[in-house]
């Protein structure tokens, strides 16, 4: 006899409105994506360090870009989700969108930290300095600080509705810094930062500093790396949302207990 699909529960009592329920198929999908992401990391690192050819000018330092550029892409994806979640919250006032927005920032900020650190590691042998007053570097630092301030803002506002409303607006506006960082080397000629993919303002016929079109191994490796970091960002976000759901449930349970004690 057919049976209903099992559902995973974290419950306090039957039919409790504070119960967290996930369909088993969704949990299995998340588990499968997590395993695939871990295996993909091995493939991505192998291609970055062994499969792709060595750049004739920059040598092995160029290999950092498979992590540096791709971590920025992954961070941009989840920061874009912050924008979508913020718009959805302002339209619906549903707390699930606020939970998605804060989870996105908490995943995206570490990814952008990886981008900053690997960028400095690349700059040291190529520019002979860890940091310089370059428009894109400074823009990246400002972007990182803006999203760090997002988390600080949330911690400074106690009222949940007001916090979610302010955070939604802030998260939407902060995405302008992500666009700014992406566009700088494509529209300004006073930056040292190379354009890895796409045309450069200083040389419109170039397709990136590492000739992705002319070296299929470099292009394939960059494609795999970009895909992996974006997928990994989404998988991490999915896990983080579940943690955020549990944290929100704990807060509701505490509120209930306090109300009962009074």
């Amino acid at each position: 006899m057919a049976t209903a699909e099992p559902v995973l529960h974290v419950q306090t009592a039957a039919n409790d409105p504070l119960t967290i329920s996930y369909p088993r198929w969704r949990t299995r999908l998340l588990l499968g994506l997590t395993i695939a992401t871990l295996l993909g990391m091995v493939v991505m690192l192998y291609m970055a360090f062994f499969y792709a050819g060595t750049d004739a000018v920059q040598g092995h330092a160029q290999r950092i870009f498979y992590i540096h550029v791709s971590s920025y892409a992954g961070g941009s994806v989840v920061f874009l989700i912050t924008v979508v979640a913020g718009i959805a919250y302002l339209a619906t006032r549903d707390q699930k969108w606020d939970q998605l927005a804060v989870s996105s920032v908490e995943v995206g900020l570490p990814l952008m930290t990886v981008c900053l650190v690997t960028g400095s590691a690349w700059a040291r042998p190529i520019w002979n300095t860890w940091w310089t007053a370059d428009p894109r570097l400074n823009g990246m630092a400002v972007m990182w600080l803006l999203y760090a301030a997002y988390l600080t803002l949330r911690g400074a506002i106690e009222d949940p509705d007001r916090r979610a409303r302010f955070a939604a607006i802030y998260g939407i506006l902060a995405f302008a810094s992500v666009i700014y960082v992406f566009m700088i080397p494509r529209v300004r000629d006073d930056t040292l930062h190379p354009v890895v993919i796409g045309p450069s303002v200083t040389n419109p016929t170039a397709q990136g500093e590492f000739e992705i079109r002319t070296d299929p191994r470099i292009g394939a490796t960059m494609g795999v790396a970009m895909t992996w970091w974006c997928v990994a960002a989404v998988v991490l976000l999915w896990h983080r949302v579940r943690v955020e759901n549990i944290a929100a449930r704990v807060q509701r349970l505490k509120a209930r207990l306090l109300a009962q004690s009074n």
Side-chain angles (χ1 to χ4, degrees):
M1 184 175 69
T3 58
E5 183 181 19
V7 176
L8 300 181
H9 292 284
V10 180
Q11 63 184 105
T12 55
N15 301 321
D16 193 309
L18 298 182
T19 298
I20 300 176
S21 301
Y22 300 119
R24 178 166 291 181
W25 70 265
R26 191 179 299 175
T27 300
R28 287 177 173 174
L29 176 60
L30 177 57
L31 176 61
L33 286 174
T34 302
I35 295 173
T37 301
L38 292 174
L39 294 176
M41 179 176 64
V42 176
V43 174
M44 184 268 295
L45 291 175
Y46 171 80
M47 293 183 69
F49 292 109
F50 300 104
Y51 174 75
T54 303
D55 185 73
V57 177
Q58 302 184 36
H60 290 295
Q62 176 267 328
R63 298 183 188 278
I64 297 175
F65 267 67
Y66 299 121
I67 297 175
H68 173 66
V69 176
S70 302
S71 59
Y72 174 83
S76 298
V77 167
V78 288
F79 283 163
L80 179 59
I81 293 175
T82 302
V83 174
V84 175
I87 294 173
Y89 176 80
L90 293 175
T92 65
R93 292 300 194 269
D94 191 331
Q95 285 295 323
K96 72 179 182 181
W97 295 113
D98 180 56
Q99 293 170 7
L100 176 60
V102 66
S103 298
S104 299
V105 174
E106 290 183 349
V107 170
L109 196 59
L111 294 181
M112 291 303 187
T113 302
V114 171
C115 180
L116 277 172
V117 172
T118 53
S120 292
W122 172 84
R124 184 66 180 88
I126 302 302
W127 292 345
N128 198 35
T129 183
W130 296 101
W131 194 273
T132 186
D134 182 84
R136 185 165 192 178
L137 271 64
N138 291 339
M140 185 73 186
V142 169
M143 180 192 69
W144 190 95
L145 291 172
L146 283 173
Y147 280 98
Y150 171 95
L151 299 177
T152 303
L153 172 67
R154 294 187 64 93
I157 302 176
E158 294 185 2
D159 180 69
D161 294 332
R162 185 166 176 263
R163 177 176 61 235
R165 186 171 65 256
F166 276 45
I169 297 172
Y170 188 108
I172 294 170
L173 297 177
F175 192 74
S177 64
V178 180
I179 299 173
Y180 177 76
V181 170
F182 177 80
M183 292 302 299
I184 285 177
R186 292 166 174 80
V187 299
R188 296 181 58 168
D189 58 5
D190 60 341
T191 175
L192 295 173
H193 198 287
V195 178
V196 180
I197 300 175
S200 168
V201 67
T202 57
N203 183 6
T205 63
Q207 291 298 318
E209 294 289 327
F210 308 126
E211 299 180 359
I212 289 176
R213 282 189 175 181
T214 59
D215 189 333
R217 291 186 300 170
I218 289 179
T221 302
M222 184 62 74
V224 169
M226 295 277 284
T227 302
W228 183 85
W229 279 91
C230 291
V231 172
V234 173
V235 171
L236 287 172
L237 174 58
W238 195 341
H239 282 289
R240 182 63 189 86
V241 167
R242 290 198 168 192
V243 173
E244 185 66 22
N245 289 339
I246 295 174
R249 176 176 178 272
V250 169
Q251 291 300 320
R252 293 194 296 269
L253 286 172
K254 288 172 63 177
R256 171 187 285 186
L257 292 174
L258 288 174
Q260 291 175 352
S261 64
N262 293 332

